Amino acid sequence: MKIIIETDRLYLREFMIEDAIRFYKMNIDEEVIKYTGDTAFKSKNEAEVFLSKYNQYQLHNMGRWAVCDKQTDEFLGWCGLKYHPKDDIVEVGYRFYKHHWNKGYATESTKASIHYGFNTLKLKTIFAHAHVDNLASHKVIEKCGLQFVDQNNYDGMPANLYKIENPDIKIKPISGLETIPIRHAVLRKGKPVDACPIPEDDLDNTFHFGLFYKDQLAGVCTFVADKSSYFKDNNQYRLRAMGVLEQFQGFHFGKHLLKHGIAYLQTQNIDRLWFNARIVALNFYKNNGFETIGDKFNIPKVGPHYVMHKAL
């Protein structure tokens, strides 16, 4: 049994095959699944198959977790975080046996899951959906600090979308000078500090952004006006010198910086973003919608690169 989170009354653990009978019994209650869009398991065996194939912990380092009573070890339901690759969002959700409704378990476990997401996984944003008629879930979500975003279609049903931002993660404009310590530690390790500035650092049309975690600068990126002969777009920008400190790598801080910068460039009516990408970073950029163009080339003292780009 792997316990992930503990609260005053509860612990949240990874699912086990032995949970199959609990899943089956919980989901055959029509009131429990009324607003979920799910169908009940036809048998305990079907629930076992579902649990045997549940691989979210391995794929995304998160998932739904069994919620249990700390005093009795009773399975009460489930709660946790789910990554949606298509939308690139993390969502918190829960489900409990009906006889455990109105005991505060949903609120307690949801708050704990959000805390885990923000403090352990260092997620930037967590979302939640609830059917428009599921007023009880709206109350739970709002108690947990999520704010209403809009109403949309979720898995074929009308739903309210909510979100909450990690208060410890901030992205804001910084100066070129402020980027130097990160560039030196990540991109120019072992080289003189004077190798870190770039010629465009102090130009008025250069944009620098820093991601701060608990007020510590954790990552930086720079966007400069620069045209590549590969493209005919009039308004081109180039990504330069993006880096995240080693202790903060693995938490998607680079992706957050990149998305923030792209969103800003779009407000400036920039047509295309391009850059020279190191070979080791190709998959990262491909996963964020960029593609290569041209042949591999070598930058002296740095290594092999490809030009990558994305239309904005």
Side-chain angles (χ1 to χ4, degrees):
M1 180 173 70
K2 185 174 181 180
I3 295 176
I4 306 298
I5 305 169
E6 292 191 50
T7 69
D8 290 342
R9 299 183 295 168
L10 312 170
Y11 64 83
L12 281 65
R13 60 161 173 80
E14 292 186 355
F15 294 150
M16 305 183 295
I17 291 295
E18 292 79 6
D19 292 324
I21 187 61
R22 300 158 187 147
F23 269 65
Y24 171 68
K25 289 182 177 180
M26 183 168 63
N27 279 21
I28 60 173
D29 187 329
E30 292 183 359
E31 288 193 58
V32 169
I33 63 172
K34 179 178 180 180
Y35 294 118
T36 67
D38 292 342
T39 56
F41 293 112
K42 296 177 181 177
S43 65
K44 174 191 170 189
N45 287 342
E46 190 174 75
E48 285 179 348
V49 171
F50 168 80
L51 290 170
S52 69
K53 294 180 178 180
Y54 191 80
N55 60 357
Q56 298 303 293
Y57 310 137
Q58 294 80 17
L59 288 178
H60 306 302
N61 198 31
M62 68 181 78
R64 308 304 200 193
W65 301 297
V67 179
C68 302
D69 187 296
K70 286 176 78 171
Q71 299 299 317
T72 65
D73 292 325
E74 179 186 0
F75 177 98
L76 310 174
W78 58 255
C79 183
L81 304 169
K82 181 178 181 179
Y83 176 63
H84 295 266
K86 182 180 178 181
D87 300 314
D88 191 27
I89 65 170
V90 173
E91 181 185 41
V92 64
Y94 57 84
R95 187 175 304 172
F96 288 87
Y97 279 111
K98 186 168 59 180
H99 59 271
H100 288 308
W101 291 1
N102 300 313
K103 298 179 180 179
Y105 294 146
T107 301
E108 187 172 336
S109 57
T110 298
K111 285 183 176 180
S113 296
I114 292 171
H115 184 271
Y116 180 86
F118 283 166
N119 291 276
T120 301
L121 302 179
K122 296 179 174 58
L123 301 175
K124 186 176 183 293
T125 311
I126 295 175
F127 292 84
H129 280 93
H131 191 287
V132 292
D133 296 328
N134 192 349
L135 302 183
S137 278
H138 296 174
K139 290 179 181 179
V140 169
I141 291 169
E142 290 166 359
K143 282 182 184 177
C144 294
L146 288 91
Q147 302 295 314
F148 176 79
V149 177
D150 62 22
Q151 189 177 116
N152 57 31
N153 186 286
Y154 179 72
D155 284 348
M157 63 183 188
N160 286 359
L161 173 66
Y162 298 83
K163 74 173 182 178
I164 185 171
E165 300 286 347
N166 190 334
D168 291 325
I169 295 177
K170 303 290 184 185
I171 298 177
K172 56 187 179 181
I174 58 175
S175 68
L177 186 61
E178 289 175 288
T179 70
I180 299 303
I182 305 291
R183 291 181 186 176
H184 190 227
V186 179
L187 304 174
R188 297 292 184 266
K189 204 170 186 177
K191 297 182 179 180
V193 174
D194 58 15
C196 297
I198 59 175
E200 303 91 346
D201 271 342
D202 297 324
L203 297 180
D204 291 339
N205 60 352
T206 292
F207 310 118
H208 306 279
F209 296 103
L211 185 150
F212 294 80
Y213 182 73
K214 294 186 176 180
D215 297 323
Q216 178 184 353
L217 185 59
V220 299
C221 62
T222 296
F223 298 88
V224 304
D226 193 5
K227 287 190 175 183
S228 167
S229 59
Y230 279 116
F231 314 111
K232 296 180 179 180
D233 307 274
N234 289 325
N235 299 319
Q236 299 180 33
Y237 258 70
R238 180 181 176 187
L239 172 66
R240 300 292 308 271
M242 185 169 80
V244 175
L245 289 176
E246 186 174 357
Q247 64 265 39
F248 294 110
Q249 293 175 10
F251 297 113
H252 305 292
F253 285 2
K255 179 179 73 174
H256 298 324
L257 276 165
L258 187 59
K259 289 177 70 173
H260 183 92
I262 288 172
Y264 182 78
L265 292 178
Q266 288 171 331
T267 68
Q268 304 301 303
N269 298 314
I270 304 306
D271 299 313
R272 187 171 302 273
L273 177 63
W274 69 276
F275 48 88
N276 298 326
R278 301 181 187 211
I279 299 300
V280 295
L282 288 183
N283 286 336
F284 166 78
Y285 290 115
K286 287 179 179 178
N287 290 336
N288 284 279
F290 291 86
E291 56 186 70
T292 60
I293 189 170
D295 297 324
K296 181 171 64 175
F297 62 95
N298 190 67
I299 295 179
K301 299 182 181 181
V302 181
H305 286 68
Y306 276 96
V307 173
M308 299 194 78
H309 69 103
K310 181 179 184 178
L312 307 184

